[in-house]
């Protein structure tokens, strides 16, 4: 558009410019660049919903309590300590005052090095504003962090002298001045100033304390680092009375005294915090004695082998769980979830404890392999996605469940605990989602990746690092050691070990591949500070983060390679790489981007490629033994595993699985349609040892008896050609519950249904077979109950998602355009203009303000009022003004009422005026629009740009 460039040069006089310091947060935001505003919205995405209309609204929203609390919760410990120090400093505070509060009188080079980054973080997140000579904390943040009797500050400081003496009588103030050796004053304000000056003067304060009794100094020592409040009796002891007389203890209530902030800072040598922590604590390796002496000789190959073995166990456990629920799992509770009894039964079937069973059940549910069937009698069952998952190669199957675990907000560790209302949280229930879980899981793995390969971390140092990064969500803020983030971290370590992401406590190669190119990006030495920027620092040396991704190349199977190629990933990208410089965008890897479907799919494929060489190849044989057992020395091919699961019972698991053949298991295979010759041929083909004679006899003996009795539905009957067998059944006392009656020499009827009759006869030692209405033997196979297609459970986010670059750019442009329209300067009206108020314009909007008043004939004499509202103009003047603006390419200010009667004010650059319409570039909406002229209530030219 030819006139757009000119139109964007309209007069714009933002507040707080021209060399004057900003007076408000909104003025400070107007001085920032678009990239700074985008960074603010990225760090605090709650400010973006909905998009603010201008910078004033953005500043107001940034100062709301909920938004400030969320922003403070995402600060690391040292940045939060800087904010806390500003909350106890006079406002505004120069940078030197803040530095003195953190370093103390002696100074600390490490704090001086880290403080600029912390201040920049606070300023970038709109928690402080102003130049370095006038730092101001956002009012809501000051209210949250400043000390008060109800909410003590983490600094341990109390109120100032002025705050503590606000209700004190002038006479009492003069008494304190006299006892402290200060001259009397004429008013309370100067008295408070004199006492404050004494406490902030290092020389005079030291001289005063030199005269204090030793017991009085002991009292101050107990209060100096907080809490600053103490109880006194009606007759205080002489040391306490000495302190009260000189204002070193001021009354807070009738029975409580407080140590003034200025006096406490003198006793602390000027420090606001007892232990400032400018840098993050190191994640230390686990001690050799804690690791069973394996620390010194830890090898990555051992870790990968242990993790791969556990990964295979994880796949087998999920398959066993799905097999157990194959014909329809447990019922769904009315409130949702799995009952305690069903969880216990599932744990017994899997051979694990109940918390571990809850983890496997939740993992299968998170991966979309289990769901509710949605029927009237709702039950849990495998989904169609489970059958598709089973057909994948083992490495890819593991990659699917590992990425599902990493991004899930489900927290199985909460199962069995109680919520705030005392209700028990059930596995698979609706109340197990915690938005912080994905962030904590990923952060734990990233911290594990900073250690050398094969080295397990010390859990306490890992928790200390997490608490430093999020102190307001950790035990340091709550005073408890069992806060949610700490428990999530402990659960993550256990779950990662069970899933095979870690082995022997150390991150495996395929575990590193799950993290992608940012794995180990922080590894670069001790004391790295990462919470406030994209760099890590050790001592006084500043270095960029490094990327260290470990993968494995080699023969991985055609399926995994094809999947990687389809995803656009080259195998060479997964080869081991040493530390190298990372770009800031890589070091500041977005959690939201890491959990996007595309990123998770790529991470799963990378992990599958890295895991494939460590998983054993499926075997096509077993070892049959004379004691009616079969030993599988490794994982079996699916056809062989499925037959053995039907024809034999699992006796033990481990490195090798032991199956035992029993009459019941052989009958189960015959019921499934196998004949005795089929079983003989199949075992002979898949056994590395000859089929033992006892096993052959067992198969033939069960097959000879199988089907000798026939059970049908009459409601139920028993048919047998051998009358003696029926006589034996009738004579057995165990058959009384079946209520059998002979109908013919070879036929018995029963009141029980066929299934109960079959089970009863089998309990008595017979091998009956079910028959159809035509008299044919019915083959009974396990009925695979499947749910309808289900979507994978959506994670419950922890707050608004981080916006992408496109949304940020559009939001910044919209905010800038709205702010330009709200702050643009207009030319003053030269004279009042009579105008007939159109009937279509709402009366509330048309009512003039300021010096405009309606006339007797309905016209109004309206000029630009002192409060800056738009003047009303006649239709002719409106048409002439917009035509002139279209010819000159200038922008004008209009008032507009839409078809719904909603009034708005806009800055437009007219392009064409014809047919009763004006086509213009709307700076407020940042797009070209067409406006009917009859809906424009007034127009004014913009003031000339002073620049």
């Amino acid at each position: 558009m030819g006139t757009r460039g000119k139109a964007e040069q309209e007069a714009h006089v933002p507040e707080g410019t021209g060399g004057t310091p900003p007076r408000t947060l909104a003025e400070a935001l107007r001085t920032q660049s678009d990239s700074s505003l985008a960074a603010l919205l990225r760090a605090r995405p709650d400010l973006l919903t909905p998009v603010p209309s201008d910078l004033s609204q953005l500043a107001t929203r940034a100062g709301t309590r909920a938004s400030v609390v969320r922003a403070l919760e995402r600060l690391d410990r040292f940045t939060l300590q800087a904010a806390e120090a500003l909350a106890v400093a006079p406002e505004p505070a120069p940078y030197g005052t803040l530095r003195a509060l953190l370093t103390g009188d002696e100074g600390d080079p490490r704090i001086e090095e880290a403080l600029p980054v912390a201040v920049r973080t606070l300023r970038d997140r709109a928690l402080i504003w102003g130049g370095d000579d006038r730092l101001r904390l956002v009012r809501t943040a000051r209210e949250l962090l400043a000390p008060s009797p109800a909410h003590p500050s983490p600094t341990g400081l109390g109120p100032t002298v002025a705050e503590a003496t606000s209700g004190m009588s002038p006479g009492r103030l003069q008494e304190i001045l006299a006892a402290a050796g200060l001259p009397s004053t004429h008013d309370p304000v100067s008295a408070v100033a004199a006492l404050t000056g004494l406490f902030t003067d290092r020389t005079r304060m030291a001289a005063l304390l030199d005269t204090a009794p030793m017991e009085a100094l002991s009292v101050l020592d107990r209060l100096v680092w907080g809490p600053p409040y103490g109880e006194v009796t009606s007759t205080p002891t002489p040391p306490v009375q000495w302190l009260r007389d000189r204002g070193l203890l001021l009354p807070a209530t009738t029975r409580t005294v407080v140590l003034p902030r200025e006096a406490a800072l003198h006793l602390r040598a000027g420090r606001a915090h007892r232990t400032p922590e400018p840098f993050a604590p190191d994640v230390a390796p686990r001690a050799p004695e804690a690791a069973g002496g394996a620390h010194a000789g830890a090898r990555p190959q051992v870790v990968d082998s242990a993790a791969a073995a556990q990964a295979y166990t994880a796949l087998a456990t999920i398959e066993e769980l799905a097999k157990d629920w194959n014909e329809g799992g447990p019922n769904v509770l009315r409130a949702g979830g799995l009952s305690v009894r069903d969880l216990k039964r599932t744990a017994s079937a899997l051979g694990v404890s109940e918390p571990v069973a809850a983890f496997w059940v939740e993992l299968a549910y998170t991966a979309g392999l289990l769901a509710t069937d949605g029927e009237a009698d709702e039950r849990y069952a495998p989904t169609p996605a489970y059958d598709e998952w089973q057909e994948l190669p083992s490495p890819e199957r593991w990659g699917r469940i590992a990425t599902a675990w990493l991004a899930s907000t489900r927290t199985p560790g909460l199962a069995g605990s109680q919520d705030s209302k005392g209700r028990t949280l059930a596995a698979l229930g609706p109340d197990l989602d915690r938005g912080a879980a994905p962030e904590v899981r990923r952060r734990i793995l990233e911290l594990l990746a900073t250690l050398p390969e094969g080295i397990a971390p010390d859990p306490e140092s890992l928790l200390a690092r997490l608490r430093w990064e999020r102190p307001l969500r950790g035990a340091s803020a709550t005073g408890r050691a069992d806060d949610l983030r700490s428990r999530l971290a402990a659960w993550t370590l256990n779950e990662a070990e069970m899933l095979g992401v870690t082995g022997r406590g150390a991150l495996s190669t395929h575990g590193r591949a799950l993290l992608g190119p940012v794995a180990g990006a922080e590894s670069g030495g001790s004391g790295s500070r990462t919470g406030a920027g994209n760099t890590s620092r050790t001592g006084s040396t500043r270095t960029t983060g490094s990327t260290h991704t470990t993968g494995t190349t080699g023969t991985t199977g055609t399926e995994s390679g094809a999947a990687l190629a389809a995803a656009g990933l080259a195998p060479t990208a997964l080869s081991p790489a040493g530390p190298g410089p990372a770009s800031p965008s890589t070091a500041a890897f977005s959690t939201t981007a890491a959990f996007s479907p595309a990123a998770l799919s790529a991470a799963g494929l990378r992990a599958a490629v890295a895991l494939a060489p460590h998983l054993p190849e499926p075997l096509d044989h077993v070892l049959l033994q004379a004691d009616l057992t079969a030993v599988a020395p490794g994982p079996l091919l699916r056809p062989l595993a499925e037959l053995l699961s039907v024809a034999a019972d699992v006796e033990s698991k481990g490195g090798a699985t032991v199956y035992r053949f029993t009459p019941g298991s052989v009958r189960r295979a015959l019921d499934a349609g196998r004949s005795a010759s089929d079983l003989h041929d199949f075992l002979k083909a898949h056994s590395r040892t000859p089929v033992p004679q006892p096993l052959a006899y067992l198969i033939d003996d069960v097959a000879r008896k199988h089907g000798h009795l026939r059970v049908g539905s009459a409601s139920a009957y028993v048919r047998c050609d051998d009358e003696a067998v029926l006589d034996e059944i009738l004579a057995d006392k165990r058959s009384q519950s079946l209520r059998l009656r002979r109908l013919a020499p070879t036929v018995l009827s029963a009141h029980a249904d066929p299934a109960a009759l079959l089970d009863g006869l089998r309990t008595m030692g017979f091998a009956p077979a079910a028959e159809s209405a035509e008299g044919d033997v019915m083959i009974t196979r396990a009925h695979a109950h499947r749910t309808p297609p289900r979507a994978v459970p959506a994670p419950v986010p922890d707050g608004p998602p981080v916006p992408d670059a496109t949304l940020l750019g559009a939001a910044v442009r919209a905010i800038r355009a709205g702010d330009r329209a709200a702050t643009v300067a207009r030319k003053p009206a030269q004279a009042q203009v009579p105008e007939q108020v159109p009937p279509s314009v709402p009366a509330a909007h048309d009512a003039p303000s300021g010096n405009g008043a309606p006339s007797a004939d309905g016209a109004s004499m309206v000029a630009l009022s002192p409060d800056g509202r738009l003047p009303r103009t006649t239709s002719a003047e409106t048409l002439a003004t917009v035509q002139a603006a279209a010819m000159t390419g200038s922008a004008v200010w209009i008032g507009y009422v839409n078809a719904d009667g909603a009034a708005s004010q806009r800055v437009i650059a007219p392009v064409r005026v014809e047919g009763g319409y004006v086509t213009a570039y709307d700076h407020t909406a940042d797009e070209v629009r067409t406006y009917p002229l009859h809906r424009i209530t007034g127009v004014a030219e913009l003031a000339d740009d002073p620049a």
Side-chain angles (χ1 to χ4, degrees), residues 129-524:
W129 54 278
D132 285 348
D133 58 335
R134 297 175 63 85
L135 293 175
R136 292 179 181 271
L137 195 62
V138 173
R139 181 179 58 185
T140 307
R142 177 173 287 273
E143 293 172 354
L144 291 169
L145 299 177
S148 67
H151 302 284
S153 169
T155 61
L157 293 170
T160 62
V161 173
E163 294 169 347
T165 59
S166 59
M168 188 175 292
S169 64
R172 177 58 183 154
L173 283 172
Q174 298 302 322
E175 292 175 2
I176 293 176
L177 293 182
L182 297 174
S184 60
T185 61
H186 299 288
D187 57 88
V189 175
S190 57
V192 171
L195 192 59
T196 302
L198 171 63
F199 291 165
T200 54
D201 189 313
R202 293 287 191 265
T203 304
R204 290 193 294 159
M205 187 63 172
L208 176 63
L209 293 177
D210 288 341
T211 64
M214 292 300 298
E215 295 81 359
L217 295 178
S218 299
V219 173
L220 294 177
D221 289 340
R222 290 196 295 270
L223 300 177
V224 63
W225 290 109
Y229 295 90
E231 292 187 3
V232 295
T233 61
S234 56
T235 57
T237 59
V240 174
Q241 188 61 48
W242 189 93
L243 295 171
R244 294 185 63 180
D245 291 343
R246 288 153 182 80
L248 292 171
L249 291 180
L250 294 172
T253 64
T254 55
R255 299 180 59 86
T256 307
V257 293
V258 63
L259 177 64
R261 186 182 305 170
E262 294 84 353
L265 286 174
H266 173 84
L267 296 170
R268 298 178 175 195
R271 286 185 295 165
H273 294 84
R274 190 168 197 167
T275 309
E277 299 182 54
F279 297 107
D282 296 334
V283 179
R286 187 165 54 187
E289 56 271 12
H295 170 215
R299 293 182 301 166
Q301 295 83 355
V302 174
V303 170
D304 289 343
S305 298
Q310 194 57 45
Y312 171 75
T313 303
L315 298 177
T317 304
I318 291 182
E319 288 182 351
E320 188 173 354
L321 172 64
K323 187 183 300 180
D324 186 49
W325 291 8
N326 197 43
E327 298 184 45
N331 290 324
V332 181
L333 293 175
R334 183 182 304 174
L338 201 62
S339 68
V340 175
R341 178 182 61 187
D342 289 329
L343 181 61
K344 288 182 178 179
R345 192 197 65 78
T346 301
S348 176
L350 298 180
V352 297
S353 63
E354 293 174 32
V356 175
F359 167 70
W360 293 120
V361 169
E362 285 284 350
L363 179 61
Y365 173 74
T366 297
L369 307 180
L370 295 177
T372 58
D373 57 14
E375 298 179 359
D377 184 19
E378 199 169 25
R379 309 172 72 88
Y380 290 104
T383 64
Y386 171 75
D387 299 320
E388 300 173 3
W389 177 78
Q390 267 196 314
E391 299 302 322
L392 296 174
S394 295
E396 291 187 32
R397 286 193 291 149
W398 184 86
R400 290 275 187 94
I401 62 174
T403 53
W405 167 78
L406 188 62
S408 172
T409 56
R410 303 288 297 177
T411 51
L414 291 174
S417 62
Q418 292 185 339
D419 61 8
S420 58
K421 297 182 179 179
R423 296 174 299 190
T424 301
L425 300 177
L428 299 180
D431 300 322
L432 292 189
D433 285 287
R434 296 296 182 271
E439 175 195 350
V440 173
R441 288 195 191 107
R442 184 173 184 87
R443 188 61 187 147
I444 287 292
L445 297 187
E446 288 174 347
L447 292 176
L448 292 180
T450 63
L451 294 172
E453 294 183 2
I455 301 300
D458 175 51
E460 289 303 321
S461 68
L462 199 62
L463 292 178
R465 176 61 174 265
L466 281 182
R467 292 173 186 141
W468 185 91
E469 293 179 352
R470 293 287 188 271
L472 284 187
R473 293 189 173 187
S476 63
T478 61
R480 299 181 293 108
D482 61 341
D483 62 282
L484 179 61
R485 284 181 66 86
S486 297
R487 287 185 291 163
L488 285 173
W491 294 332
T492 297
L493 292 175
N494 293 333
E495 293 168 1
E497 192 75 18
M498 288 189 293
L499 189 55
V501 177
T502 60
R504 298 192 176 185
L507 190 62
S508 63
T509 298
H510 46 277
R512 292 176 187 269
L514 276 177
L515 299 178
V518 297
E522 285 186 321
S523 59

Side-chain angles (χ1 to χ4, degrees), residues 564-592:
L564 277 174
L569 298 175
T572 55
L574 302 172
S575 59
S583 65
S585 59
T586 301
F589 190 79
S590 170
T591 301
T592 301

Side-chain angles (χ1 to χ4, degrees), residues 923-939:
H923 289 274
T924 307
D926 196 22
E927 63 182 4
V928 177
R929 290 184 175 181
T930 301
Y931 300 97
L933 283 171
H934 69 277
R935 293 195 175 276
I936 298 178
T937 62
V939 62

